[in-house]
Amino acid sequence: MNSGVCIAVFDRCIADYHRHNAPETGQSCPYPTGSFEAQLYAKSWIDCVQWHLEDEIRNPDLPAERIAELKRRIDACNQRRNDKVERLDDCFLEHFQDCQPSPGARQNSETPAWLIDRLSILSLKLYHCAEYCADRTRSPAAAERAAQMLALANQQRLDLARCLDELIEDIRCGRRYMKVYRQLKMYNDEELNPVLKQRRQAGARN
């Protein structure tokens, strides 16, 4: 469990996804079922799908029906993304179950899995920045801007990878500890979202 493993899996997944460049293709994970790498690959695949749905929904010429469909798919991706992050945190909790915080250990506000989430998105950004830089049809100004974005994203990923590795090492050594708060997505819950609750109750009466 370290940033190098995460980045390698993310880069492989992103390359696999873009061979088809279609969410409907589905994923064929090359890692053993249930492994940490398989969890990372599934997380990255969701991010790839959502990235391209977010691109499409910004088309101002889309009909309302297509916008509504995309919005529902993006919401579903967000829920799956949160679920995967929580599953990754479960892996870390299990991995660190025998690690005891030292006296004075500090709690980290961000768990390792949420750092990994950001690392996954950055890996996608790097892929597309590199794609933009390779596009020779762009104007010199656009090419320069893409090159600056690529350099910044590379530096950001290096910094984030270092932060992740430092956090993992600090938890292992007892200098910091992780505490997981489950994401309470109230708007997806039929009991907590008043609109969904009312709709369900109306359906039950009919």
Side-chain angles (χ1 to χ4, degrees):
M1 289 182 175
N2 58 56
S3 64
V5 170
C6 296
I7 289 172
V9 173
F10 293 154
D11 286 348
R12 179 170 183 177
C13 179
I14 292 165
D16 289 347
Y17 178 91
H18 286 89
R19 289 193 184 95
H20 305 285
N21 208 19
E24 294 78 9
T25 303
Q27 66 183 97
S28 178
C29 181
Y31 300 101
T33 302
S35 66
F36 185 67
E37 289 83 358
Q39 296 291 336
L40 293 171
Y41 192 93
K43 165 73 175 68
S44 181
W45 192 275
I46 293 167
D47 292 337
C48 289
V49 171
Q50 185 166 347
W51 179 286
H52 292 86
L53 294 177
E54 295 279 8
D55 276 348
E56 185 179 354
I57 202 171
R58 283 162 175 76
N59 180 352
D61 298 325
L62 285 178
E65 295 81 2
R66 180 60 176 165
I67 292 173
E69 177 195 351
L70 288 171
K71 179 65 170 67
R72 284 192 293 271
R73 291 176 66 184
I74 288 168
D75 284 348
C77 278
N78 263 323
Q79 185 63 60
R80 290 197 300 273
R81 168 178 164 253
N82 278 279
D83 292 345
K84 286 298 180 184
V85 171
E86 291 184 352
R87 179 67 190 94
L88 287 169
D89 265 336
D90 288 341
C91 293
F92 279 105
L93 285 172
E94 183 178 351
H95 183 70
F96 291 128
Q97 62 182 341
D98 296 326
C99 297
Q100 295 299 317
S102 304
R106 295 174 290 114
Q107 178 184 348
N108 206 68
S109 62
E110 192 171 37
T111 65
W114 282 107
L115 270 171
I116 287 172
D117 174 68
R118 293 167 58 195
L119 202 57
S120 173
I121 302 301
L122 262 176
S123 297
L124 260 171
K125 186 178 291 186
L126 273 168
Y127 178 91
H128 287 288
C129 281
E131 195 175 48
Y132 299 154
C133 287
D135 185 352
R136 301 304 180 189
T137 66
R138 297 187 182 277
S139 67
E144 175 62 23
R145 181 168 173 268
Q148 291 173 355
M149 288 175 60
L150 180 61
L152 182 61
N154 265 310
Q155 184 59 56
Q156 192 174 2
R157 187 164 76 163
L158 287 171
D159 291 343
L160 194 58
R162 174 177 48 79
C163 290
L164 174 61
D165 289 336
E166 289 175 356
L167 175 59
I168 291 172
E169 179 63 13
D170 282 353
I171 295 172
R172 187 185 68 79
C173 294
R175 291 187 291 266
R176 281 189 277 182
Y177 64 93
M178 62 181 289
K179 192 173 182 180
V180 174
Y181 290 95
R182 301 301 176 185
Q183 297 297 307
L184 302 176
K185 295 296 185 183
M186 299 174 69
Y187 46 74
N188 286 334
D189 192 308
E190 287 193 354
E191 289 299 325
L192 300 178
N193 181 325
V195 175
L196 293 180
K197 184 176 181 180
Q198 185 178 30
R199 181 178 181 274
R200 180 172 56 80
Q201 291 173 339
R205 289 193 298 266
N206 294 336

